[in-house]
Amino acid sequence: MIRFESDYSEGAHPEILQRLLETNMEQTAGYGEDHYCQSAAARIKALCGREDADVHFLVGGTQANLTVISSMLRPHQGVISAATGHIFVHESGAIEATGHKVLPVESADGKLTSDQVRAVYEGHWRDATHEHMVQPGMVYISHPTENGTTYTKEELTALSGVCRECGLPLYMDGARLGYGLMSVGNTLELEDIATLCDVFYIGGTKAGALFGEAVVIVNPELKKDFRYLMKQRGGMLAKGRLLGLQFDTLFRDGLYLRMAAHAVEQAMRIKKALVSKGFSLLYDSHTNQQFPILSASDVDRLAGKYAFHLWQNMADGMKAIRFCSSWATRPEDVDELIRDIDAL
């Protein structure tokens, strides 16, 4: 079985495993207070152009999302998200379990617009019964989105402007941030994200690390006591140096972006084959996720050899599926998939 259902099927990049092995018997301070975490944080701050940022290493994406979001909201507030957002559909109510509601907004492509955020915010305050309703307290986006789509610099600038005008902190889930940064036609850089967002995280789990995410807090008002909340929410690792060392490796010599570029290149090969064959795509994704619409019989034929995700049942028995490449996707496996696509 050749697997294209996720970007975290493999373990970790060999360079990370080698450094973990080399430092295995080294003694360091715990809970992220070691020199590897300090070095990784310094590298990330430099790449973001924000020496004033706080960088924290958490164990996973769900822990990062629930810790950040619960730290930013007061008890009566909720978080605005696209209805397809990861926190709304794929985290088992983790945000709600912290006592906060996710406020979903319908989106055709998984992105939120500045107009949508303004409408939610103003709609709340225009309602005469707003004191009996959950108050919008922040905005959650992901880049790329669950649908593989990405924000342009212009879109993120507009969204950031409305958020600041309305007093809503903007938080970006960057579980697949590297794939967004290396996507075809990308106009966003890390420096832009650090300027336009209040908090964001750089994903490691889906980008070549064994596990872990790097939360970057730019807004000084949101920095206070974050480590207390990390501990309380189960996001702080006692052997924190395992996280720091991985990110120190990812951001040494450009490894993080090289791996992301590889995944996007393989995904674009798959996309080209699908389009050349005449298949429609559910979303126009330029990242490592591709969403072709196939007949049930074609899906069954491919499922005999490949693992992929059934994304959505369409009209007339058609099915949208997801092929997901990764930092470790082998070109020869993509070659084989392309041959089988051509044979459909």
Side-chain angles (χ1 to χ4, degrees):
M1 181 68 69
I2 301 174
R3 313 196 76 87
F4 288 100
E5 82 268 39
S6 73
D7 37 21
Y8 46 90
S9 296
E10 299 87 3
H13 191 277
E15 288 187 32
I16 288 177
L17 295 178
Q18 183 61 36
R19 287 197 77 192
L20 288 170
L21 181 62
E22 291 170 353
T23 62
N24 187 49
M25 298 306 294
E26 183 177 340
Q27 294 181 323
T28 63
Y31 301 104
E33 297 184 326
D34 59 277
H35 64 282
Y36 293 115
C37 287
Q38 293 169 5
S39 176
R43 292 182 190 276
I44 290 170
K45 290 178 185 182
L47 289 169
C48 293
R50 293 298 299 258
E51 294 299 324
D52 61 329
D54 282 1
V55 180
H56 302 279
F57 301 104
L58 282 80
V59 294
T62 299
Q63 290 90 344
N65 284 335
L66 68 89
T67 303
V68 169
I69 290 171
S70 63
S71 77
M72 296 167 76
L73 295 175
R74 297 190 66 193
H76 57 286
Q77 293 179 325
V79 51
I80 301 171
S81 166
T84 53
H86 197 73
I87 59 170
F88 188 61
V89 297
H90 284 141
E91 290 192 343
S92 301
I95 304 305
E96 289 84 352
T98 69
H100 298 284
K101 186 175 183 179
V102 180
L103 305 172
V105 177
E106 292 300 323
S107 170
D109 60 3
K111 296 193 286 186
L112 285 179
T113 68
S114 56
D115 288 341
Q116 286 176 314
V117 169
R118 186 186 297 278
V120 173
Y121 178 81
E122 293 182 351
H124 174 84
W125 291 107
R126 281 198 304 265
D127 194 309
T129 66
H130 61 78
E131 289 183 348
H132 305 276
M133 304 161 65
V134 175
Q135 181 188 109
M138 64 174 289
V139 174
Y140 164 95
I141 60 173
S142 59
H143 179 77
T145 69
E146 289 294 285
N147 305 333
T149 54
T150 54
Y151 289 86
T152 64
K153 183 177 180 179
E154 181 181 11
E155 290 170 335
L156 189 61
T157 299
L159 185 59
S160 176
V162 167
C163 286
R164 289 173 180 175
E165 182 181 334
C166 297
L168 299 171
L170 178 59
Y171 168 52
M172 177 185 285
D173 177 332
R176 295 187 170 98
L177 184 56
Y179 303 127
L181 292 173
M182 300 308 293
S183 63
V184 179
N186 172 57
T187 59
L188 275 175
E189 303 296 337
L190 265 177
E191 294 93 333
D192 300 319
I193 294 168
T195 297
L196 298 170
C197 295
D198 294 281
V199 185
F200 64 98
Y201 85 79
I202 302 170
T205 301
K206 297 177 180 177
L210 277 174
F211 56 89
E213 330 297 332
V215 171
V216 183
I217 305 177
V218 180
N219 187 332
E221 296 180 4
L222 302 173
K223 296 177 181 179
K224 187 176 185 294
D225 293 338
F226 190 77
R227 279 176 58 84
Y228 285 86
L229 298 170
M230 286 172 57
K231 181 68 174 182
Q232 186 183 67
R233 298 297 185 184
M236 182 181 286
L237 185 65
K239 297 181 181 180
R241 69 96 173 275
L242 299 180
L243 291 167
L245 188 144
Q246 292 186 76
F247 278 91
D248 193 55
T249 306
L250 287 173
F251 287 99
R252 185 177 67 173
D253 301 327
L255 178 61
Y256 182 76
L257 293 181
R258 289 203 310 274
M259 287 192 294
H262 169 80
V264 172
E265 179 183 0
Q266 300 311 311
M268 291 302 99
R269 294 180 61 210
I270 295 170
K271 180 178 185 177
K272 181 179 179 181
L274 290 163
V275 172
S276 297
K277 187 67 176 179
F279 292 117
S280 298
L281 301 171
L282 187 60
Y283 308 110
D284 185 23
S285 168
H286 297 281
T287 67
N288 69 316
Q289 301 180 87
Q290 297 300 317
F291 302 84
I293 300 172
L294 307 177
S295 67
S297 59
D298 284 342
V299 170
D300 288 342
R301 289 177 65 182
L302 291 175
K305 185 187 294 186
Y306 305 97
F308 48 81
H309 187 70
L310 176 60
W311 196 255
Q312 183 178 326
N313 289 313
M314 310 294 290
D316 302 323
M318 302 294 284
K319 297 178 182 294
I321 64 174
R322 183 186 74 170
F323 291 120
C324 189
S325 61
S326 83
W327 60 275
T329 295
R330 301 192 311 168
E332 55 265 37
D333 288 340
V334 174
D335 292 341
E336 191 164 349
L337 174 60
I338 290 172
R339 286 194 292 270
D340 288 332
I341 289 172
D342 288 341
L344 292 176

